[in-house]
Amino acid sequence: MILMFENMKPKISIVDYGLCNLYNVSNALEHIGAEIEIIDKPKEVKIAKHIILPGVGAFKNGMRGLKLRELIDPLKEHIEKKRPFLGICLGMQMMMSKSYEFGEIDGLDIIEGNVVKIPNINSKNKHHKIPHIGWNKIFLSIDGKKNQLLKSQDKKSSMYFVHSYKAECNKDENILATTSYNDVNIAAVINKDNAYGCQFHPEKSGKYGLELLKQFIKL
Amino acid sequence: MTSNIRLISRLDIKGPNLIKGIHLEGLRVIGNPNDYAKKYYESGIDEIIYMDTVASLYGRNNLSEIVKKTVKDVYVPITVGGGLRSIDDVKYLLRCGAEKVAINTAATKNPELITEVSRKFGSQCMVLSIEAKRNEDSSWEVYTENGRQKTGMSVLEWAKKGEELEAGEILLTSVDNEGTKKGFDYELIKKVSESVSIPVIASGGMGCHEDLSKAVKDSSADAIAMADILHYDRSDVESIRNFCHANDINVREYEA
């Protein structure tokens, strides 16, 4: 029995809430040996083991997509039960309490804090471009260094970011890694229990990104 | 630490082949695009651009097959351009594994397409491709159809308009310098980069490492698209990366 179970591919459920391209996330997961299912119904969320919430685009549309499909409560329940969860980019931002993208909008409120526009100027009055697009090094916090998800990351870990907004956590303990865009500090990986969020796209971040996904499917 | 400059390999495609021309014309077959994309990925390229050189002249393309194959080996963002006309074309290529689309001709004919793509798939996915040709008076005109067709539009005006319409970045190709190895059109890159607050990818003319340095330091390019310098092995991704590190140009650290 145990042997049979070990031979099975881990099944990862990707939430489709209507606004993003799921192909690259599922392709990367298949590449590292996972089995994929795309889910969009509350009952599917309820029985899922590993859930990935991907996403690009506007926060408001993302939350609306989840609400329309009645996925908000089942997702929160999944997380409260400490089942593995990974939000990517917008999926990560939706884990926060609130966003200030086009007005004030409630998020899933898993991690305390807000999503705010990245300032286009740093503390030394130096301007930079928004959206932030490109590869940046991630710096692991003390908690991050001990965390299973980031086990294979090292001092050279760079990830591919593309975003105009950033998550600001109220508690430092929720931040596993940060990045620096023109000296503006940005939360790169956030965490509470078994729920994780990454601002970058692990599916497009070469071998380091694939390593992170490999750790996630092992949770 | 300032932002990292992105090193992008640009692969121009005709039918099933990777090709290279001069001034976007006089195309020569180089080889199988998948092989080159994989090689560049493994040596640490930051992104890949596939540009179908004939799709917008002769209708639909088989670029989608190339993209589908590439994404099985390549885990960095892939931008696809050439012949995309509608939301459905964009959706189809994203489903094949493209991360972003580059649109030129269709955007000049129907600028609202930029906004539609951006609103539907996110601005990060909407790359406005501009083919720029220098006029005698040091201004630039927008061309389409691989530098064959004049539009009468000013490049600087169009770049600003593109940003207003919510393009996420600009792929700026100098038709004059493309394939010549004589360096980028630095003035063009500088002017466009100063006119918009979205990232600008400089494309066309990189002959040697110093050209990259000038485009970044003097002209404020946010990303560099490289084609024949890589295809013909005049340099490689690792050497370019090392050159950047040695010359205070921030790029991703990478070890193959």
Side-chain angles (χ1 to χ4, degrees):
Chain A
M1 273 300 278
I2 293 167
L3 269 176
M4 246 179 73
F5 189 74
E6 281 182 350
N7 284 334
M8 279 168 64
K9 286 182 173 181
K11 193 184 205 177
I12 309 298
S13 308
I14 304 175
V15 183
D16 182 4
Y17 52 104
L19 64 129
C20 66
N21 176 24
L22 309 173
Y23 184 87
N24 286 323
V25 176
S26 60
N27 181 47
L29 287 162
E30 276 170 359
H31 177 75
I32 57 166
E35 191 189 323
I36 303 304
E37 65 166 359
I38 307 292
I39 59 171
D40 62 359
K41 294 187 182 64
K43 61 177 189 213
E44 293 171 322
V45 171
K46 279 178 190 156
I47 56 169
K49 189 170 175 282
H50 288 72
I51 288 184
I52 291 189
L53 185 65
V56 292
F59 193 97
K60 194 175 180 177
N61 296 346
M63 286 307 293
R64 193 197 289 143
L66 293 179
K67 199 175 169 191
L68 274 174
R69 289 165 184 78
E70 299 176 341
L71 297 176
I72 293 178
D73 290 337
L75 283 173
K76 290 177 86 153
E77 225 168 82
H78 175 96
I79 291 162
E80 273 155 27
K81 284 180 180 160
K82 302 194 175 149
R83 290 184 182 152
F85 174 93
L86 178 64
I88 298 175
C89 199
L90 176 64
M92 170 234 200
Q93 295 183 355
M94 290 195 294
M95 294 166 74
M96 306 301 293
S97 318
K98 273 185 201 321
S99 166
Y100 290 88
E101 183 176 353
F102 305 119
E104 188 185 309
I105 305 139
D106 286 336
L108 292 171
D109 197 20
I110 293 150
I111 289 173
E112 275 178 51
N114 298 324
V115 178
V116 298
K117 182 121 189 157
I118 304 170
N120 66 355
I121 193 165
N122 70 12
S123 55
K124 290 164 201 143
N125 282 335
K126 202 166 166 269
H127 281 270
H128 49 251
K129 298 206 170 174
I130 306 290
H132 164 217
I133 303 181
W135 292 79
N136 286 71
K137 226 180 235 193
I138 58 167
F139 305 97
L140 307 194
S141 68
I142 293 164
D143 291 324
K145 282 177 187 157
K146 290 184 287 195
N147 194 282
Q148 177 72 23
L149 188 83
L150 302 175
K151 201 176 148 189
S152 313
Q153 305 301 325
D154 58 38
K155 284 184 179 154
K156 291 210 158 125
S157 297
S158 288
M159 303 291 188
Y160 180 74
F161 288 81
V162 46
H163 60 133
S164 302
Y165 287 77
K166 65 182 188 121
E168 287 187 337
C169 299
N170 292 357
K171 295 179 187 156
D172 284 345
E173 65 192 50
N174 292 130
I175 300 173
L176 296 185
T178 57
T179 193
S180 167
Y181 176 50
N182 195 26
D183 292 328
V184 174
N185 193 45
I186 290 170
V189 182
I190 59 174
N191 162 247
K192 189 184 172 186
D193 301 325
N194 242 348
Y196 294 88
C198 45
Q199 180 61 67
F200 50 83
H201 289 266
E203 75 280 11
K204 284 285 153 187
S205 296
K207 59 182 181 181
Y208 285 108
L210 294 175
E211 274 304 324
L212 183 147
L213 292 175
K214 273 184 202 167
Q215 295 303 325
F216 177 71
I217 66 174
K218 281 190 207 160
L219 292 176
Chain B
M1 181 173 51
T2 56
S3 168
N4 282 342
I5 297 302
R6 287 173 286 151
L7 304 176
I8 302 177
S9 61
R10 171 176 174 154
L11 292 90
D12 289 340
I13 305 295
K14 184 182 180 185
N17 295 318
L18 169 63
I19 52 108
K20 191 70 200 84
I22 296 174
H23 307 306
L24 298 172
E25 289 199 287
L27 312 173
R28 272 177 62 186
V29 171
I30 295 177
N32 177 334
N34 295 108
D35 296 343
Y36 282 81
K38 193 176 172 192
K39 179 174 103 176
Y40 299 149
Y41 168 67
E42 283 167 356
S43 56
I45 203 76
D46 292 335
E47 289 184 40
I48 284 170
I49 296 174
Y50 274 136
M51 197 60 81
D52 195 317
T53 54
V54 288
S56 99
L57 290 174
Y58 304 115
R60 281 251 52 91
N61 53 69
N62 52 14
L63 188 60
S64 53
E65 292 307 314
I66 298 172
V67 176
K68 277 186 201 164
K69 231 184 245 174
T70 302
V71 296
K72 296 288 174 202
D73 297 313
V74 171
Y75 294 91
V76 295
I78 298 174
T79 302
V80 180
L84 283 86
R85 293 204 172 81
S86 64
I87 287 283
D88 283 342
D89 290 348
V90 174
K91 194 191 273 176
Y92 180 64
L93 279 164
L94 295 180
R95 288 231 168 114
C96 292
E99 184 78 10
K100 323 178 198 184
V101 291
I103 304 183
N104 174 15
T105 308
T108 60
K109 289 183 180 154
N110 171 25
E112 289 75 34
L113 181 63
I114 299 172
T115 316
E116 275 178 61
V117 171
S118 179
R119 295 266 167 95
K120 186 145 178 83
F121 306 105
S123 64
Q124 85 295 329
C125 148
M126 174 60 230
V127 180
L128 177 61
S129 168
I130 302 180
E131 289 169 8
K133 211 166 181 173
R134 193 181 268 268
N135 297 325
E136 279 170 12
D137 62 351
S138 208
S139 63
W140 293 266
E141 181 176 343
V142 176
Y143 275 65
T144 60
E145 314 290 346
N146 298 304
R148 288 182 188 88
Q149 194 69 44
K150 287 163 87 77
T151 64
M153 292 157 66
S154 138
V155 167
L156 295 184
E157 293 305 313
W158 180 227
K160 282 186 227 167
K161 177 91 177 158
E163 180 180 19
E164 268 168 41
L165 292 168
E166 302 178 24
E169 49 187 322
I170 290 174
L171 169 62
L172 183 62
T173 307
S174 161
V175 179
D176 305 295
N177 294 37
E178 201 278 332
T180 63
K181 310 194 254 308
K182 68 179 187 189
F184 295 95
D185 186 337
Y186 302 105
E187 201 187 345
L188 166 71
I189 301 165
K190 189 173 167 61
K191 289 251 168 79
V192 173
S193 199
E194 282 169 354
S195 314
V196 297
S197 62
I198 53 177
V200 174
I201 306 165
S203 176
M206 181 163 162
C208 60
H209 295 165
E210 284 69 29
D211 293 340
L212 179 151
S213 176
K214 274 194 251 172
V216 172
K217 289 185 178 169
D218 304 341
S219 302
S220 310
D222 300 287
I224 301 290
M226 300 172 278
D228 61 9
I229 189 167
L230 295 176
H231 306 336
Y232 290 131
D233 289 321
R234 290 205 308 279
S235 184
D236 56 59
V237 182
E238 194 186 353
S239 311
I240 292 167
R241 196 173 291 284
N242 290 340
F243 169 85
C244 291
H245 287 309
N247 286 276
D248 294 324
I249 296 169
N250 289 325
V251 288
R252 166 167 73 123
E253 280 184 36
Y254 183 84
E255 266 170 29

Coordinates of all heavy atoms in Angstrom, one line a residue, chain B residues 185-252:
Chain B
D185 N 20.5 52.1 -32.5 CA 20.2 53.6 -32.7 C 20.0 54.2 -31.3 O 18.9 54.2 -30.8 CB 18.9 53.7 -33.6 CG 18.7 55.1 -34.0 OD1 19.2 56.0 -33.3 OD2 18.0 55.4 -35.0
Y186 N 21.1 54.7 -30.8 CA 21.1 55.1 -29.4 C 20.2 56.3 -29.1 O 19.6 56.4 -28.1 CB 22.6 55.4 -28.9 CG 23.5 54.3 -29.1 CD1 24.4 54.2 -30.1 CD2 23.4 53.2 -28.3 CE1 25.2 53.1 -30.3 CE2 24.2 52.0 -28.4 CZ 25.1 52.0 -29.5 OH 25.9 50.9 -29.7
E187 N 20.2 57.2 -30.1 CA 19.4 58.4 -29.9 C 17.9 58.0 -29.9 O 17.1 58.5 -29.0 CB 19.6 59.3 -31.1 CG 19.3 60.8 -30.8 CD 19.4 61.6 -32.1 OE1 20.0 61.2 -33.1 OE2 18.8 62.7 -32.1
L188 N 17.5 57.1 -30.7 CA 16.1 56.6 -30.7 C 15.8 56.0 -29.4 O 14.7 56.3 -28.8 CB 16.0 55.5 -31.9 CG 14.7 54.7 -31.8 CD1 13.5 55.5 -32.2 CD2 14.9 53.5 -32.8
I189 N 16.6 55.1 -28.9 CA 16.3 54.4 -27.6 C 16.2 55.4 -26.5 O 15.3 55.4 -25.7 CB 17.4 53.4 -27.3 CG1 17.5 52.3 -28.4 CG2 17.1 52.7 -26.0 CD1 18.8 51.5 -28.3
K190 N 17.1 56.4 -26.5 CA 17.1 57.4 -25.4 C 15.8 58.2 -25.5 O 15.2 58.4 -24.5 CB 18.3 58.3 -25.6 CG 18.6 59.3 -24.4 CD 19.9 60.0 -24.7 CE 20.1 61.2 -23.8 NZ 20.2 61.0 -22.4
K191 N 15.5 58.7 -26.7 CA 14.3 59.5 -26.8 C 13.0 58.8 -26.4 O 12.2 59.3 -25.7 CB 14.1 60.0 -28.3 CG 15.2 61.0 -28.7 CD 14.5 62.4 -28.8 CE 15.5 63.5 -29.0 NZ 16.1 63.6 -30.3
V192 N 12.9 57.5 -26.8 CA 11.7 56.8 -26.5 C 11.7 56.5 -25.0 O 10.7 56.6 -24.3 CB 11.6 55.4 -27.3 CG1 10.4 54.6 -26.8 CG2 11.4 55.8 -28.8
S193 N 12.8 56.0 -24.5 CA 12.9 55.7 -23.0 C 12.6 56.9 -22.2 O 11.9 56.8 -21.1 CB 14.3 55.2 -22.7 OG 14.3 54.5 -21.6
E194 N 13.0 58.1 -22.6 CA 12.6 59.3 -21.8 C 11.2 59.7 -22.0 O 10.6 60.4 -21.1 CB 13.5 60.5 -22.3 CG 14.9 60.4 -21.8 CD 15.8 61.4 -22.4 OE1 15.4 62.1 -23.4 OE2 17.0 61.6 -22.0
S195 N 10.5 59.2 -23.0 CA 9.1 59.7 -23.3 C 8.1 58.8 -22.6 O 7.0 59.2 -22.4 CB 8.8 59.6 -24.8 OG 9.8 60.1 -25.6
V196 N 8.5 57.6 -22.2 CA 7.5 56.7 -21.5 C 8.1 56.2 -20.2 O 9.3 56.3 -19.9 CB 7.2 55.5 -22.4 CG1 6.6 55.9 -23.7 CG2 8.5 54.6 -22.7
S197 N 7.1 55.8 -19.3 CA 7.6 55.3 -18.0 C 7.5 53.7 -18.0 O 7.7 53.1 -16.9 CB 6.8 55.9 -16.9 OG 5.5 55.6 -17.0
I198 N 7.1 53.1 -19.1 CA 7.1 51.6 -19.1 C 8.5 51.2 -19.7 O 9.2 51.9 -20.4 CB 5.9 51.1 -20.0 CG1 5.9 51.7 -21.4 CG2 4.6 51.3 -19.3 CD1 4.8 51.2 -22.3
P199 N 8.9 49.9 -19.4 CA 10.2 49.5 -19.9 C 10.3 49.4 -21.4 O 9.3 49.2 -22.1 CB 10.2 48.0 -19.3 CG 9.3 48.0 -18.2 CD 8.2 48.9 -18.6
V200 N 11.5 49.7 -21.9 CA 11.8 49.7 -23.3 C 12.9 48.7 -23.6 O 14.0 48.6 -23.0 CB 12.3 51.1 -23.8 CG1 12.8 51.1 -25.2 CG2 11.2 52.2 -23.6
I201 N 12.6 47.8 -24.5 CA 13.5 46.8 -25.0 C 14.2 47.3 -26.2 O 13.5 47.5 -27.2 CB 12.8 45.4 -25.3 CG1 12.0 45.0 -24.1 CG2 13.8 44.4 -25.7 CD1 11.0 43.9 -24.5
A202 N 15.5 47.4 -26.2 CA 16.3 47.9 -27.4 C 16.6 46.7 -28.3 O 17.1 45.7 -27.9 CB 17.6 48.6 -27.0
S203 N 16.3 46.9 -29.6 CA 16.5 45.8 -30.5 C 17.0 46.3 -31.8 O 16.6 47.4 -32.3 CB 15.1 45.1 -30.8 OG 15.3 44.1 -31.8
G204 N 18.0 45.6 -32.4 CA 18.5 46.0 -33.7 C 19.9 46.6 -33.8 O 20.0 47.7 -33.5
G205 N 20.9 45.7 -34.1 CA 22.2 46.3 -34.4 C 23.3 45.9 -33.5 O 24.4 46.4 -33.7
M206 N 23.0 45.1 -32.4 CA 24.1 44.8 -31.5 C 25.2 44.0 -32.2 O 25.0 42.9 -32.6 CB 23.6 44.0 -30.3 CG 24.7 43.7 -29.3 SD 24.0 43.3 -27.7 CE 25.4 42.5 -26.9
G207 N 26.4 44.6 -32.2 CA 27.5 44.0 -32.9 C 28.5 43.4 -31.9 O 29.2 42.4 -32.1
C208 N 28.7 44.2 -30.8 CA 29.6 43.7 -29.8 C 29.2 44.1 -28.4 O 28.1 44.8 -28.2 CB 31.0 44.4 -30.1 SG 30.9 46.2 -30.0
H209 N 29.9 43.7 -27.3 CA 29.5 44.0 -26.0 C 29.3 45.5 -25.7 O 28.4 45.9 -24.9 CB 30.5 43.4 -25.0 CG 30.5 41.9 -25.1 ND1 31.6 41.1 -24.5 CD2 29.7 41.0 -25.6 CE1 31.4 39.8 -24.8 NE2 30.2 39.7 -25.4
E210 N 30.2 46.3 -26.2 CA 30.2 47.7 -25.9 C 28.9 48.3 -26.3 O 28.4 49.3 -25.8 CB 31.4 48.4 -26.5 CG 32.7 48.2 -25.8 CD 33.2 46.8 -26.0 OE1 32.9 46.1 -27.0 OE2 34.0 46.3 -25.0
D211 N 28.3 47.8 -27.4 CA 27.0 48.3 -27.9 C 25.9 48.2 -26.8 O 25.1 49.1 -26.6 CB 26.5 47.6 -29.1 CG 27.5 47.8 -30.3 OD1 28.2 48.8 -30.3 OD2 27.4 47.0 -31.3
L212 N 26.0 47.1 -26.1 CA 25.0 46.9 -25.0 C 25.2 47.9 -23.9 O 24.3 48.6 -23.4 CB 25.2 45.5 -24.5 CG 24.3 45.0 -23.3 CD1 24.1 43.5 -23.4 CD2 24.9 45.4 -21.9
S213 N 26.5 48.1 -23.6 CA 26.8 49.1 -22.5 C 26.3 50.5 -22.9 O 25.7 51.2 -22.0 CB 28.3 49.1 -22.4 OG 28.7 50.0 -21.4
K214 N 26.5 50.9 -24.1 CA 26.0 52.2 -24.5 C 24.5 52.3 -24.5 O 24.0 53.3 -24.0 CB 26.5 52.5 -26.0 CG 27.9 53.1 -26.0 CD 28.1 53.7 -27.4 CE 29.2 52.8 -28.2 NZ 29.3 53.2 -29.6
A215 N 23.8 51.3 -24.9 CA 22.4 51.3 -24.9 C 21.8 51.4 -23.5 O 20.8 52.1 -23.3 CB 21.8 50.0 -25.6
V216 N 22.5 50.8 -22.6 CA 22.0 50.8 -21.2 C 22.4 52.1 -20.5 O 21.6 52.8 -19.9 CB 22.5 49.6 -20.4 CG1 22.2 49.7 -18.9 CG2 22.0 48.3 -21.0
K217 N 23.7 52.4 -20.6 CA 24.2 53.6 -19.8 C 23.9 54.9 -20.4 O 23.5 55.9 -19.7 CB 25.7 53.4 -19.7 CG 26.1 52.3 -18.7 CD 27.6 52.3 -18.5 CE 28.0 51.2 -17.5 NZ 29.5 51.0 -17.5
D218 N 24.0 55.0 -21.8 CA 23.7 56.3 -22.4 C 22.3 56.5 -22.8 O 21.8 57.6 -22.8 CB 24.6 56.5 -23.6 CG 26.1 56.4 -23.3 OD1 26.4 56.5 -22.1 OD2 26.9 56.1 -24.3
S219 N 21.6 55.4 -23.1 CA 20.3 55.5 -23.7 C 19.2 55.0 -22.8 O 18.0 55.0 -23.1 CB 20.2 54.8 -25.0 OG 21.1 55.3 -25.9
S220 N 19.5 54.5 -21.6 CA 18.6 54.0 -20.6 C 17.7 52.9 -21.1 O 16.5 52.8 -20.7 CB 17.7 55.1 -20.1 OG 18.4 56.2 -19.7
A221 N 18.2 51.9 -21.9 CA 17.4 50.8 -22.3 C 17.2 49.9 -21.0 O 18.0 49.8 -20.2 CB 18.1 50.0 -23.3
D222 N 16.0 49.3 -20.9 CA 15.7 48.5 -19.7 C 16.0 47.0 -20.0 O 16.1 46.2 -19.1 CB 14.2 48.6 -19.4 CG 13.9 50.0 -19.0 OD1 14.3 50.4 -17.9 OD2 13.2 50.7 -19.8
A223 N 16.0 46.7 -21.3 CA 16.3 45.3 -21.7 C 17.0 45.4 -23.1 O 16.8 46.3 -23.9 CB 15.0 44.5 -21.8
I224 N 17.7 44.3 -23.4 CA 18.5 44.3 -24.7 C 18.1 43.0 -25.4 O 18.2 41.9 -24.9 CB 20.0 44.3 -24.4 CG1 20.4 45.5 -23.6 CG2 20.7 44.2 -25.7 CD1 20.4 46.8 -24.4
A225 N 17.6 43.2 -26.7 CA 17.3 42.1 -27.5 C 18.5 41.8 -28.4 O 19.0 42.7 -29.0 CB 16.0 42.3 -28.3
M226 N 18.9 40.5 -28.4 CA 20.1 40.2 -29.2 C 19.7 39.1 -30.1 O 19.0 38.1 -29.8 CB 21.1 39.7 -28.2 CG 21.5 40.7 -27.2 SD 22.6 40.0 -25.9 CE 21.5 39.2 -24.9
A227 N 20.2 39.2 -31.4 CA 19.9 38.2 -32.3 C 21.2 37.6 -32.9 O 21.8 36.7 -32.3 CB 19.0 38.7 -33.4
D228 N 21.7 38.1 -34.0 CA 22.8 37.4 -34.7 C 24.1 37.4 -33.9 O 24.9 36.5 -34.1 CB 23.0 37.9 -36.1 CG 23.3 39.3 -36.3 OD1 23.6 39.9 -35.2 OD2 23.3 39.8 -37.4
I229 N 24.2 38.3 -32.9 CA 25.5 38.2 -32.1 C 25.5 36.8 -31.4 O 26.6 36.2 -31.2 CB 25.6 39.4 -31.1 CG1 26.9 39.4 -30.4 CG2 24.4 39.3 -30.1 CD1 27.3 40.6 -29.6
L230 N 24.3 36.3 -31.0 CA 24.2 35.0 -30.4 C 24.1 33.9 -31.5 O 24.8 32.9 -31.4 CB 23.0 34.9 -29.5 CG 23.0 35.8 -28.3 CD1 21.7 35.7 -27.5 CD2 24.1 35.5 -27.3
H231 N 23.3 34.1 -32.5 CA 23.1 33.0 -33.5 C 24.3 32.6 -34.2 O 24.6 31.5 -34.5 CB 22.0 33.4 -34.5 CG 20.7 33.9 -34.0 ND1 20.3 33.5 -32.7 CD2 19.7 34.7 -34.5 CE1 19.1 34.1 -32.5 NE2 18.7 34.8 -33.6
Y232 N 25.2 33.7 -34.5 CA 26.4 33.4 -35.2 C 27.6 33.2 -34.3 O 28.8 33.4 -34.7 CB 26.7 34.5 -36.2 CG 25.7 34.5 -37.4 CD1 25.0 35.7 -37.8 CD2 25.4 33.3 -38.1 CE1 24.1 35.7 -38.9 CE2 24.5 33.3 -39.2 CZ 23.9 34.5 -39.5 OH 23.0 34.5 -40.6
D233 N 27.3 33.1 -33.0 CA 28.4 32.8 -32.0 C 29.5 33.9 -32.0 O 30.7 33.6 -31.7 CB 29.1 31.5 -32.3 CG 28.2 30.3 -32.0 OD1 27.5 30.4 -30.9 OD2 28.2 29.3 -32.7
R234 N 29.1 35.1 -32.3 CA 30.1 36.2 -32.0 C 30.3 36.4 -30.5 O 31.3 36.9 -30.1 CB 29.6 37.5 -32.7 CG 29.7 37.5 -34.2 CD 29.8 38.9 -34.8 NE 28.8 39.8 -34.3 CZ 27.6 39.9 -34.7 NH1 27.1 39.1 -35.7 NH2 26.7 40.7 -34.2
S235 N 29.3 36.0 -29.8 CA 29.4 36.0 -28.3 C 28.5 35.0 -27.8 O 27.8 34.3 -28.6 CB 29.2 37.4 -27.7 OG 29.4 37.4 -26.3
D236 N 28.4 34.8 -26.5 CA 27.4 33.9 -25.9 C 26.9 34.6 -24.6 O 27.4 35.6 -24.1 CB 28.0 32.6 -25.6 CG 29.3 32.7 -24.7 OD1 29.1 33.2 -23.6 OD2 30.4 32.3 -25.2
V237 N 25.8 34.0 -24.1 CA 25.1 34.6 -23.0 C 26.0 34.8 -21.8 O 26.0 35.8 -21.1 CB 23.8 33.8 -22.6 CG1 23.1 34.5 -21.5 CG2 22.9 33.6 -23.8
E238 N 26.8 33.8 -21.5 CA 27.7 33.9 -20.3 C 28.7 35.0 -20.5 O 28.9 35.8 -19.5 CB 28.4 32.5 -20.2 CG 29.1 32.4 -18.8 CD 30.0 31.1 -18.7 OE1 29.9 30.3 -19.6 OE2 30.6 31.0 -17.7
S239 N 29.3 35.1 -21.7 CA 30.3 36.2 -21.8 C 29.6 37.6 -21.7 O 30.2 38.5 -21.2 CB 30.9 36.1 -23.2 OG 31.4 34.8 -23.5
I240 N 28.4 37.7 -22.2 CA 27.7 39.0 -22.2 C 27.4 39.3 -20.7 O 27.6 40.4 -20.2 CB 26.4 38.9 -23.0 CG1 26.8 38.8 -24.5 CG2 25.5 40.1 -22.8 CD1 25.7 38.5 -25.5
R241 N 26.9 38.3 -20.0 CA 26.7 38.4 -18.6 C 27.9 38.9 -17.8 O 27.9 39.8 -17.0 CB 26.1 37.1 -18.0 CG 25.4 37.2 -16.7 CD 24.8 35.9 -16.4 NE 23.7 35.5 -17.2 CZ 22.5 36.1 -17.1 NH1 22.2 37.0 -16.2 NH2 21.5 35.7 -18.0
N242 N 29.0 38.2 -18.1 CA 30.3 38.6 -17.4 C 30.7 40.0 -17.8 O 31.2 40.7 -16.9 CB 31.4 37.6 -17.8 CG 31.1 36.2 -17.2 OD1 30.4 36.1 -16.2 ND2 31.7 35.2 -17.7
F243 N 30.5 40.3 -19.0 CA 30.9 41.7 -19.5 C 30.1 42.7 -18.6 O 30.6 43.7 -18.2 CB 30.6 41.9 -21.0 CG 30.6 43.3 -21.4 CD1 31.8 43.9 -21.8 CD2 29.5 44.1 -21.5 CE1 31.9 45.2 -22.2 CE2 29.5 45.4 -21.9 CZ 30.7 46.0 -22.2
C244 N 28.8 42.4 -18.5 CA 27.9 43.3 -17.7 C 28.4 43.4 -16.2 O 28.5 44.5 -15.7 CB 26.4 42.8 -17.7 SG 25.7 43.0 -19.3
H245 N 28.6 42.3 -15.6 CA 29.1 42.3 -14.2 C 30.4 43.2 -14.1 O 30.6 43.9 -13.1 CB 29.4 40.9 -13.7 CG 28.1 40.1 -13.4 ND1 27.1 40.6 -12.7 CD2 27.7 38.9 -13.8 CE1 26.1 39.8 -12.6 NE2 26.5 38.7 -13.3
A246 N 31.3 43.0 -15.1 CA 32.5 43.7 -15.0 C 32.4 45.2 -15.3 O 33.3 46.0 -15.1 CB 33.5 43.1 -16.0
N247 N 31.3 45.6 -15.9 CA 31.1 47.0 -16.3 C 29.9 47.7 -15.6 O 29.3 48.7 -16.1 CB 30.9 47.1 -17.8 CG 32.1 46.8 -18.6 OD1 33.0 47.7 -18.8 ND2 32.3 45.6 -19.0
D248 N 29.7 47.2 -14.4 CA 28.7 47.9 -13.5 C 27.3 48.0 -14.2 O 26.5 48.9 -14.0 CB 29.1 49.3 -13.1 CG 30.3 49.3 -12.2 OD1 30.4 48.4 -11.4 OD2 31.1 50.2 -12.4
I249 N 27.0 47.0 -15.0 CA 25.6 46.9 -15.5 C 25.0 45.7 -14.7 O 25.5 44.6 -14.8 CB 25.6 46.6 -17.0 CG1 26.2 47.8 -17.7 CG2 24.2 46.3 -17.5 CD1 26.5 47.5 -19.2
N250 N 23.9 46.0 -14.0 CA 23.3 44.9 -13.2 C 22.5 44.0 -14.1 O 21.6 44.4 -14.8 CB 22.3 45.5 -12.2 CG 23.0 46.3 -11.1 OD1 24.1 45.8 -10.7 ND2 22.5 47.3 -10.6
V251 N 22.8 42.7 -14.0 CA 22.1 41.7 -14.6 C 21.9 40.5 -13.6 O 22.6 40.5 -12.6 CB 22.8 41.1 -15.9 CG1 22.7 42.1 -17.0 CG2 24.2 40.7 -15.6
R252 N 21.0 39.6 -13.9 CA 20.8 38.5 -13.1 C 22.1 37.7 -12.9 O 22.8 37.5 -13.9 CB 19.7 37.6 -13.7 CG 19.6 36.2 -13.1 CD 18.4 35.5 -13.5 NE 18.3 35.1 -14.9 CZ 18.1 33.8 -15.3 NH1 18.0 32.9 -14.4 NH2 18.1 33.5 -16.6

